[in-house]
Amino acid sequence: MATTQESLRKMAALLESRHDMATISESPHATPASPAKMAASPESPAKMAASPESPESPAASPESPAKMAATPESDAELGLGLKGLIASVMDPPELQASRQKNFARGIEQQLPDGMVVASVPTEAQCHEELSDPVPDPEYLTGMVNYSEVTGYPLVQHWKLRSIMYHVKLNQWTLSQAFSSAIHSLDGATLRSDFVSILKEFGNHFIQEAVYGFEESCTIWYANKQVQRQLWLEYQDISKGNSPSDESEERDKEPRTLTYPAYIASLLDSGAKRMATGVRMDCISQGQCPLSCHLCHMSPGPARPAEPVLLNITKATPVYELVNSNETYQALQEAMMSVLWCSAKGDVIDDWCRCDSNAFGTDGLPTCAPLPQPMLKLSHSYEPSSSLVIIEWIHAEPPIGVRIVDYLISQEKVTERTDHSKVETETMLSFVDDIMSGAKSPCVMLGDIPDPLSSISLIIRCLEPDTTYMFRLWAVDNTGRRSSPSEVTIKTPCPAVDDVKAQEIADKIYNLFNGYTSGKEQQTAYNTLMDLGSSALHRVLYHYNQRYESFGEFTWRCEDELGPRKAGLILSQLDELSGWCRGLLQEPKIGLRRASLKYLSCRYTDTKAFGLSWVNLGQDLRKACEDQMLSVMYNDYGAPKEL
């Protein structure tokens, strides 16, 4: 995105004295945003009525792919202040600004003609939002460094927004530069001629927007225990209870203490608990109004509040400024080509007809980019020793690409330092193998929302303490595959029933105590061989904790069962990694059970009735039924106070 000065220069070149804002998108490859971004800001208590749109306007029918137009790459040049913008429109030497009386409450400068500014009441300007703490997204994709002891690091977002003005452009006059550029297109037939106009003047101009102040903070925690304790302390303080001795906020009014302010006070005081990985990053746009007592940051010396551009609520494509029907249509087609077909093809209904030079060596068209799905671990359920949940957002462009399937691969990595060495690999089709219920006993559908927004898969039958790599490709109707998205994770240590391990340790002691007959020896041998590595570690731990004075566990096994049988039993202890062997020496290990909902699907021939991603949730409910799955987790040690 260009600088503010560059945006203003392009604005002046496009629209004359009655244009109030900058051109949005200078890039011909700007990615269209969702129609939701074009809606009025939900935080606004005083929405301005939008002017009726023409039938040809893309914003009038966002459901129609053929009429959808570009929206900006970003919502705003956030550094652009409202008063600075007004001065830029009124005073540049290139423009002849009219001087009719046009003022708005709270703004000393005269407004350009055609600009309407509606101020928001002071009592409705200050809105605070605090998100729920969720796993840090950086720890859910790629090479995942997951700790089964502490869980995922968490992140939480706080935002304070004060919408002060709604700005609307009612009328405008074209500049000489833009008029000359449009007239130069008379008789033009090449798409490149129209694309050059879009490169110079942008795809859209802003017609409605909101200005004000915004401050946001992101807080990171090492684990959920840290977050929970800090939040409980903050709630006590905000209710009027005494703050902790480490906080500098003891003398502040509880009603003015925001959560970021409390975290900042602990960070500034050097509280020991902050050494556990808590950090915070805050940014501020504009200056907080004096009427808002929730502001956390102090941007500098006191100065008049300078509202900044917060959201664009309506953007209009530049071809709406053209009167000639032929030029209007050609410019619209060129813009659609730029947005959906990389300027290397024409939009026909909802697909791209690529130019002859826009085909790959495999003969498949390449003008419409195939989006890469982002594979990640579920933020709702942590991995277990035999199960992980992966998910991705289904994002299909309304024009140019039609996704017909996803391919999922599972690889068991044998070399922990060289992930190119793979022992086993399984490749499944989401449509043919998973959704149809044909041949995926270890892969099940998780919760599929309706309407479809994301897809969740439950991967079972995994080995504990083992590294796996999962990959995801999108496949379109031409057979193209997207670039793969990867998640690599090591499954946690095996789940163990510590209560049962204590009982077996007592049983083995009783069998070894005194004279041991052949029958008792065989019973002890069979019991220990059936345990598995993780349970055997816990039996060894509890035996030595209680009965080591009568002989250490390994020595008693050799003495009672003989070197050969004892060797077979004790060899199981080396099957786990050093990490798991260390965790299984914890004094206390709890076994936690979680319930997981999944879809059990009977075989369905999806090709017989066709696949509709929009109605996928409804279709699956007809062929699948909800069932529950129990998942076991180890909890290591007692909860520690920070």
Side-chain angles (χ1 to χ4, degrees):
M1 182 66 69
T3 62
T4 300
Q5 291 77 10
E6 179 67 12
S7 296
L8 290 171
R9 185 192 66 77
K10 292 221 171 187
M11 174 272 295
L14 174 61
L15 302 174
E16 212 171 272
S17 61
R18 295 184 178 88
H19 190 297
D20 66 320
M21 301 179 193
T23 300
I24 300 174
S25 175
E26 288 96 22
S27 170
H29 302 287
T31 302
S34 65
K37 283 194 175 182
M38 301 290 291
S41 173
E43 298 89 350
S44 167
K47 298 181 181 178
M48 294 181 63
S51 58
E53 296 169 332
S54 62
E56 296 85 0
S57 172
S61 56
E63 298 84 1
S64 171
K67 291 188 177 182
M68 181 175 285
T71 51
E73 291 180 82
S74 66
D75 276 354
E77 291 276 350
L78 290 178
L80 187 59
L82 178 57
K83 295 183 180 179
L85 181 142
I86 294 171
S88 301
V89 175
M90 293 292 289
D91 299 333
E94 301 96 323
L95 304 179
Q96 282 284 326
S98 60
R99 295 292 178 178
Q100 298 179 10
K101 292 184 178 180
N102 187 12
F103 292 92
R105 188 183 65 175
I107 300 177
E108 298 177 358
Q109 291 171 283
Q110 179 173 310
L111 305 177
D113 296 341
M115 177 191 287
V116 178
V117 177
S119 58
V120 178
T122 302
E123 60 272 13
Q125 287 184 5
C126 200
H127 296 276
E128 180 187 24
E129 295 179 5
L130 181 65
S131 70
D132 293 330
V134 296
D136 190 339
E138 294 184 2
Y139 286 81
L140 298 178
T141 188
M143 184 71 68
V144 177
N145 184 19
Y146 170 72
S147 171
E148 59 196 283
V149 178
T150 60
Y152 290 121
L154 299 184
V155 64
Q156 196 168 16
H157 301 283
W158 176 86
K159 183 172 72 172
L160 177 66
R161 168 171 284 202
S162 184
I163 294 179
M164 303 168 66
Y165 298 100
H166 288 257
V167 182
K168 179 179 180 180
L169 180 67
N170 276 340
Q171 52 184 306
W172 51 83
T173 301
L174 300 184
S175 69
Q176 183 61 41
F178 183 73
S179 297
S180 299
I182 293 299
H183 287 311
S184 69
L185 295 175
D186 293 343
T189 57
L190 297 178
R191 184 196 307 129
S192 57
D193 294 335
F194 296 92
V195 170
S196 64
I197 298 295
L198 298 175
K199 288 183 178 180
E200 181 177 357
F201 296 100
N203 296 330
H204 284 71
F205 65 92
I206 307 173
Q207 193 167 351
E208 295 181 20
V210 293
Y211 278 76
F213 162 82
E214 183 174 271
E215 181 181 352
S216 61
C217 294
T218 302
I219 310 169
W220 290 269
Y221 311 92
N223 53 62
K224 58 186 177 183
Q225 289 81 11
V226 174
Q227 189 278 333
R228 185 181 297 115
Q229 182 169 339
L230 291 174
W231 176 247
L232 292 176
E233 288 184 3
Y234 168 73
Q235 285 186 313
D236 286 342
I237 297 174
S238 62
K239 292 176 182 177
N241 297 335
S242 175
S244 65
D245 293 336
E246 296 174 306
S247 172
E248 295 179 351
E249 301 294 333
R250 300 178 61 92
D251 298 329
K252 279 198 173 184
E253 289 290 335
R255 64 183 181 84
T256 65
L257 178 63
T258 63
Y259 188 56
Y262 174 66
I263 297 296
S265 70
L266 293 176
L267 291 170
D268 294 341
S269 65
K272 294 181 180 179
R273 75 190 70 191
M274 296 296 104
T276 57
V278 178
R279 59 189 178 95
M280 182 172 66
D281 184 22
C282 297
I283 59 173
S284 177
Q285 301 289 349
Q287 184 168 340
C288 183
L290 297 177
S291 59
C292 184
H293 62 275
L294 297 175
C295 298
H296 164 59
M297 298 179 66
S298 298
R303 62 179 186 272
E306 174 69 6
V308 296
L309 181 56
L310 296 179
N311 283 107
I312 297 166
T313 55
K314 183 179 179 181
T316 303
V318 295
Y319 57 72
E320 294 289 344
L321 303 174
V322 179
N323 294 324
S324 169
N325 290 336
E326 293 183 359
T327 305
Y328 178 101
Q329 182 176 356
L331 195 60
Q332 183 187 45
E333 292 174 353
M335 192 178 77
M336 300 291 283
S337 174
V338 166
L339 297 175
W340 305 108
C341 309
S342 305
K344 297 179 181 179
D346 297 318
V347 173
I348 308 297
D349 294 330
D350 61 352
W351 60 281
C352 285
R353 183 178 62 192
C354 296
D355 299 339
S356 58
N357 61 349
F359 286 81
T361 55
D362 53 4
L364 298 177
T366 60
C367 66
L370 181 57
Q372 178 190 30
M374 182 58 65
L375 186 65
K376 61 180 181 179
L377 294 176
S378 170
H379 69 274
S380 302
Y381 295 92
E382 296 182 350
S384 76
S385 59
S386 61
L387 174 151
V388 299
I389 303 175
I390 58 176
E391 59 185 26
W392 67 93
I393 295 176
H394 172 73
E396 183 179 55
I399 297 177
V401 173
R402 184 185 168 212
I403 297 176
V404 297
D405 198 4
Y406 290 98
L407 298 179
I408 304 99
S409 76
Q410 172 187 321
E411 303 172 356
K412 179 181 175 182
V413 181
T414 56
E415 289 287 339
R416 300 179 188 274
T417 58
D418 182 5
H419 293 285
S420 63
K421 295 186 178 181
V422 174
E423 180 179 307
T424 58
E425 178 177 3
T426 302
M427 179 76 76
L428 293 175
S429 161
F430 175 77
V431 174
D432 296 335
D433 300 328
I434 301 174
M435 196 176 73
S436 66
K439 51 179 181 180
S440 56
C442 292
V443 182
M444 304 178 298
L445 285 171
D447 188 28
I448 304 296
D450 183 26
L452 180 68
S453 57
S454 63
I455 298 174
S456 175
L457 293 183
I458 302 171
I459 313 293
R460 301 174 59 198
C461 311
L462 303 180
E463 298 179 15
D465 196 26
T466 304
T467 302
Y468 289 90
M469 177 187 291
F470 304 95
R471 291 183 179 179
L472 175 71
W473 295 264
V475 182
D476 72 358
N477 57 339
T478 67
R480 287 188 303 164
R481 290 190 187 183
S482 68
S483 300
S485 178
E486 300 179 356
V487 168
T488 301
I489 185 172
K490 178 184 175 185
T491 52
C493 303
V496 59
D497 187 341
D498 208 33
V499 175
K500 184 177 180 181
Q502 295 180 38
E503 295 174 353
I504 293 177
D506 295 338
K507 176 182 178 180
I508 296 300
Y509 169 76
N510 292 329
L511 290 172
F512 286 172
N513 189 26
Y515 173 76
T516 306
S517 65
K519 181 179 179 181
E520 291 171 327
Q521 290 178 352
Q522 189 63 37
T523 300
Y525 174 76
N526 292 340
T527 300
L528 294 174
M529 285 297 293
D530 291 340
L531 285 179
S533 180
S534 58
L536 183 60
H537 272 279
R538 294 307 292 172
V539 170
L540 182 151
Y541 173 82
H542 290 298
Y543 187 96
N544 288 337
Q545 285 290 314
R546 298 185 178 191
Y547 310 115
E548 190 172 15
S549 59
F550 299 97
E552 197 269 337
F553 179 78
T554 57
W555 177 83
R556 290 302 306 270
C557 286
E558 292 176 353
D559 183 59
E560 298 291 342
L561 305 179
R564 187 183 68 83
K565 287 186 176 180
L568 292 174
I569 294 171
L570 299 176
S571 64
Q572 299 179 77
L573 297 174
D574 298 326
E575 294 177 0
L576 296 177
S577 65
W579 166 258
C580 287
R581 291 198 297 269
L583 285 182
L584 291 172
Q585 296 303 309
E586 285 283 335
K588 182 178 180 181
I589 299 179
L591 189 62
R592 173 167 49 92
R593 183 189 304 271
S595 296
L596 177 63
K597 185 173 71 173
Y598 70 96
L599 294 176
S600 177
C601 302
R602 57 184 180 272
Y603 176 75
T604 305
D605 186 3
T606 55
K607 295 181 179 179
F609 59 85
L611 174 65
S612 171
W613 294 108
V614 176
N615 301 320
L616 182 62
Q618 298 178 11
D619 294 339
L620 289 175
R621 292 296 184 273
K622 298 175 183 177
C624 310
E625 58 182 15
D626 290 336
Q627 293 192 9
M628 302 302 294
L629 178 69
S630 293
V631 185
M632 310 303 294
Y633 295 92
N634 287 338
D635 285 333
Y636 297 95
K640 300 179 179 62
E641 289 296 328
L642 301 176

